[in-house]
Amino acid sequence: MRKAATIIVSLGLAACATSPGYRASGVTVPAAFREGLDSAAATPSEIGADSSAVPPAAAPPAKANVQYWRDLGDTTLDRLIGELVRANLDIRTSAARVRGARAARAEARLDLAPIVTTGGSFTRQRLSGATFPIGGGAFPDQSIWDAGFDASWELDLFGRLRHTVQAQGATVEAASEDMRDVQVSLTAELARAYFELRGAQERLGVVERNSENQRRSLEVTRQRLDAGRGTAFDTERAQAQLSFTLASVPLLEASIADAQYRIGVLVGRPPAAVAAELQTARTLPVLPALVEVVTPDSVVRDRPDVAFAERQLAAQRALVGAAKADYLPRFFLGGSAGFSATTFDSLGERGTFRYAVGPSFSWPALNLGRIKTRVDAASARRDEAEAQYGQAVLRALQDVETSLSRYRTARVRVERINDAATASERAAELARLRFTGGVADFLQVLDAERTQLDAEDQLAQGRTDAATAYAALYKALGGSLPVVAASR
């Protein structure tokens, strides 16, 4: 017994030494984003280098950051985002997973408490006279009625159950972060679909305005042809250009319908349910300029996919501790109490009460090899989660850098195309005046109108690209407020 006690104590001390408390992996991030504007210089920092650097546990599933979108001043977009948060089915699915994880955590916590069950039984039996040779005769038939309760309590001396509860708690937090990630992603997807809808409507307006100008040019060529001052060649070229311009209308109408149907599903309604509400064209919102960008370590802490990976790592590390605790004995305190009698009516009478109470333990001393394989498997899953966490951090940094770059360059491109569109509009008007005055041929008119259409269409597409880049930046920053909108 002394040797056994020594072995058990030694293993207990070893388990305490090899089942560490949670410490997030150290991942170094830069002091500032390369693509950020006016970012203050600082030294690189480590995310999760110690327990104090762990992202806030069990962050509540964030509602879409409405201020990010309200800065755009588009009330329709605000309303659609509110509908998405309330009714999107993917968000409801994620919410159900959170509730399931919470139930699993509650069940794990209950394992720390005694398990008490009640029951009753009736048995009709006859003992064998050969087995119990008393007096040489067989025992008579017996009826046994029994009712009572049984209790069992595992004394969690080495933390197996506590580690399991920690793992379930981290799993709940991971499910909450996953729900937040779904919400942020779907909000960005809704904004993207909405911007693509408004962009397609804006491009359709460009086509309609340019086709009207081209109709007037066609009418001028016909009038000149009727007056004997024009040629059929000019008329046919004008007709061809008008037809070619009008050919883009069905494609744009299809893009508008596609965006409307995507929005319908995202807000939890049948695809065509919102089409009528979004049929009236509206211009794309004016986008804010980036003045100040949050620091990389703040982004990494706020991004739900990174927080999800970090909580998954925390859960796997706790499960390693639970697996290592299986090397040690499990101690139980059990008992039962109740009544046993030969007739149902006599249950509870004097002399029918029974009880049993006492400790017990189990120790897989001859199965430690199997436990080692389970510990090795848990350690491998922990290492996998640690690598996934580090990869999530790197991907988050890449995503933000890329999104900042695309948003910045998209805004610059819009400014330059806007100058080109303004100049091409003036050039087309001058070409039409020169043609009407007889100082230029119709080829110049056609060329100027093509340039105007192309420039205005590119401007509308560029504005759409900038708006979708703004939506992508929201997702990259995990739904946080990244900018100070000091100028537009």
Side-chain angles (χ1 to χ4, degrees), residues 60-66 69 81-82 84-88 90-92 94-95 176-191 266 304 474-475 478-479:
K63 294 183 177 180
N65 196 321
V66 293
W69 307 107
I81 290 176
L84 178 140
V85 173
R86 292 189 302 270
N88 182 270
D90 287 329
I91 294 178
R92 289 186 181 180
S94 298
S176 298
E177 292 296 345
D178 182 61
M179 178 180 172
R180 189 163 67 95
D181 189 31
V182 169
Q183 187 166 302
V184 168
S185 298
L186 291 177
T187 301
E189 184 178 344
L190 172 64
L266 286 168
Y474 172 83
K475 180 180 178 182

Side-chain angles (χ1 to χ4, degrees), residues 220 224 229 430-442 444-445:
V220 169
R224 290 173 63 86
R229 294 185 295 111
L430 289 173
R432 283 188 288 269
L433 291 174
R434 286 167 57 83
F435 173 70
T436 303
V439 296
D441 59 19
F442 191 64
Q444 293 182 5
V445 176

Side-chain angles (χ1 to χ4, degrees), residues 20-96:
Y22 174 70
R23 286 172 61 86
S25 296
V27 179
T28 303
V29 298
F33 288 111
R34 179 177 181 271
E35 296 291 340
L37 303 180
D38 299 332
S39 297
T43 57
S45 61
E46 270 196 356
I47 294 298
D50 52 41
S51 57
S52 63
V54 178
K63 294 183 177 180
N65 196 321
V66 293
Q67 191 59 44
Y68 187 95
W69 307 107
R70 284 177 180 170
D71 285 343
L72 302 181
D74 193 315
T75 56
T76 302
L77 177 59
D78 294 341
R79 176 177 58 80
L80 291 172
I81 290 176
E83 286 189 47
L84 178 140
V85 173
R86 292 189 302 270
N88 182 270
L89 297 181
D90 287 329
I91 294 178
R92 289 186 181 180
T93 300
S94 298

Side-chain angles (χ1 to χ4, degrees), residues 156-180:
D156 191 31
L157 300 181
F158 304 111
R160 185 183 70 86
L161 298 179
R162 292 194 299 275
H163 278 106
T164 303
V165 171
Q166 290 173 6
Q168 291 295 344
T171 300
V172 171
E173 293 158 4
S176 298
E177 292 296 345
D178 182 61
M179 178 180 172
R180 189 163 67 95

Side-chain angles (χ1 to χ4, degrees), residues 29-346:
V29 298
F33 288 111
R34 179 177 181 271
E35 296 291 340
L37 303 180
D38 299 332
S39 297
T43 57
S45 61
E46 270 196 356
I47 294 298
D50 52 41
S51 57
S52 63
V54 178
K63 294 183 177 180
N65 196 321
V66 293
Q67 191 59 44
Y68 187 95
W69 307 107
R70 284 177 180 170
D71 285 343
L72 302 181
D74 193 315
T75 56
T76 302
L77 177 59
D78 294 341
R79 176 177 58 80
L80 291 172
I81 290 176
E83 286 189 47
L84 178 140
V85 173
R86 292 189 302 270
N88 182 270
L89 297 181
D90 287 329
I91 294 178
R92 289 186 181 180
T93 300
S94 298
R97 283 198 292 266
V98 173
R99 293 196 301 272
R102 287 173 178 165
R105 179 182 60 185
E107 182 180 7
R109 285 175 174 172
L110 290 174
D111 288 340
L112 293 169
I115 299 174
V116 181
T117 59
T118 61
S121 66
F122 168 74
T123 305
R124 182 71 176 174
Q125 69 178 18
R126 174 188 295 175
L127 298 178
S128 168
T131 305
F132 300 96
I134 301 176
F139 286 90
D141 291 349
Q142 280 185 313
S143 296
I144 299 178
W145 296 84
D146 187 86
F149 68 88
D150 297 308
S152 177
W153 181 24
E154 180 177 352
L155 306 176
D156 191 31
L157 300 181
F158 304 111
R160 185 183 70 86
L161 298 179
R162 292 194 299 275
H163 278 106
T164 303
V165 171
Q166 290 173 6
Q168 291 295 344
T171 300
V172 171
E173 293 158 4
S176 298
E177 292 296 345
D178 182 61
M179 178 180 172
R180 189 163 67 95
D181 189 31
V182 169
Q183 187 166 302
V184 168
S185 298
L186 291 177
T187 301
E189 184 178 344
L190 172 64
R192 180 183 181 88
Y194 182 79
F195 293 147
E196 289 177 349
L197 166 68
R198 296 311 186 194
Q201 290 174 335
E202 193 168 312
R203 292 180 65 194
L204 181 61
V206 168
V207 170
E208 290 172 346
R209 290 194 302 273
N210 279 270
S211 63
E212 187 60 32
N213 290 334
Q214 291 171 9
R215 283 192 182 93
R216 288 197 294 269
S217 297
L218 174 60
E219 184 61 28
V220 169
T221 61
R222 286 173 175 170
Q223 291 173 356
R224 290 173 63 86
L225 179 63
D226 293 341
R229 294 185 295 111
T231 65
F233 183 56
D234 288 342
T235 302
E236 292 301 325
R237 284 191 300 181
Q239 180 63 63
Q241 179 153 297
L242 174 60
S243 298
F244 184 77
T245 299
L246 293 175
S248 61
V249 171
L251 295 176
L252 293 173
E253 289 176 340
S255 297
I256 290 171
D258 174 71
Q260 290 171 339
Y261 299 153
R262 280 187 287 147
I263 291 172
V265 173
L266 286 168
V267 298
R269 291 200 262 167
V274 300
E277 304 172 22
L278 301 175
Q279 195 62 40
T280 302
R282 292 186 60 175
T283 59
L284 286 161
V286 177
L287 302 175
L290 286 178
V291 177
E292 182 179 350
V293 184
V294 296
T295 58
D297 64 321
S298 298
V299 172
V300 170
R301 294 172 196 274
D302 290 340
R303 276 199 36 144
D305 57 336
V306 176
F308 170 80
E310 185 273 331
R311 290 289 86 196
Q312 288 283 74
L313 173 57
Q316 293 302 325
R317 286 186 167 176
L319 290 175
V320 171
K324 288 181 177 180
D326 282 338
Y327 280 123
L328 305 171
R330 296 188 189 181
F331 292 90
F332 302 87
L333 182 62
S336 65
F339 298 91
S340 293
T342 56
T343 63
F344 179 77
D345 293 338
S346 62

Side-chain angles (χ1 to χ4, degrees), residues 1-15 158 327-329 331 363 365 368:
M1 290 297 295
R2 183 178 301 173
K3 291 182 178 179
T6 302
I7 293 174
I8 291 173
V9 171
S10 299
L11 288 173
L13 294 174
F158 304 111
Y327 280 123
L328 305 171
F331 292 90
W363 182 27
L368 296 182

Side-chain angles (χ1 to χ4, degrees), residues 412-431:
V412 173
R413 183 170 182 267
V414 168
E415 293 174 1
R416 294 175 181 176
I417 297 179
N418 185 62
D419 294 340
T422 302
S424 64
E425 182 180 8
R426 292 196 299 265
E429 184 62 28
L430 289 173

